[in-house]
Amino acid sequence: MLPAQARPSYTSKTVFDSFPWPQAPAQAVVDRVVEVVARVAGVPRRADGAGDHLCQQYDSVRQPGRSRLRDLHEALDRAVLDVYGFDPGEDLLAQILELNLSVADQEQAGGTVRGPGPQGLDD
């Protein structure tokens, strides 16, 4: 077992640091993700005010039939695929691995790579 100081430690600010981020997303698709995330985040707040707990809200996503929360999460999935430029009909794990390898190569060559979050987007 690794000593505590050698083990990875993730926080809300570092959990995605090792995850490859889109390197050249268009601002319009980034804005779409932000908009859908705000809508998803608003659903639990409104439902909680009505007495529904978060677990009850997400239980409804697993049930058959229409679900506003499911529709929003599907919209978020599409928006994220657009930001990455991924083809939903192809192997998504292969696409993220390809991006990860590309970013690692670029970084190893001394190039600049975009880290997590929306900072520095200029498209």
Side-chain angles (χ1 to χ4, degrees):
M1 180 177 238
L2 293 172
Q5 64 271 23
R7 287 192 301 248
S9 176
Y10 297 105
T11 69
S12 61
K13 294 184 186 287
T14 64
V15 70
F16 293 111
D17 283 356
S18 61
F19 194 83
W21 288 84
Q23 294 299 294
Q27 189 62 48
V29 293
V30 172
D31 292 345
R32 176 71 179 141
V33 170
V34 170
E35 182 248 320
V36 177
V37 165
R39 290 172 57 203
V40 168
V43 169
R45 279 192 299 257
R46 284 191 299 277
D48 190 42
D52 292 338
H53 298 284
L54 191 60
C55 63
Q56 293 170 314
Q57 295 165 51
Y58 276 91
D59 279 345
S60 72
V61 172
R62 291 189 292 269
Q63 302 300 319
R66 303 257 327 141
S67 166
R68 174 176 159 76
L69 198 51
R70 182 185 309 114
D71 292 346
L72 287 171
H73 275 282
E74 288 171 359
L76 180 57
D77 289 347
R78 287 188 303 274
V80 168
L81 287 174
D82 288 346
V83 164
Y84 275 91
F86 287 171
D87 180 344
E90 298 294 324
D91 183 343
L92 294 174
L93 288 177
Q95 292 175 83
I96 199 76
L97 176 59
E98 183 179 335
L99 175 61
N100 195 22
L101 294 172
S102 171
V103 169
D105 288 345
Q106 187 176 349
E107 192 171 40
Q108 190 169 20
T112 303
V113 297
R114 294 183 193 267
Q119 68 275 2
L121 295 175
D122 54 2
D123 288 293

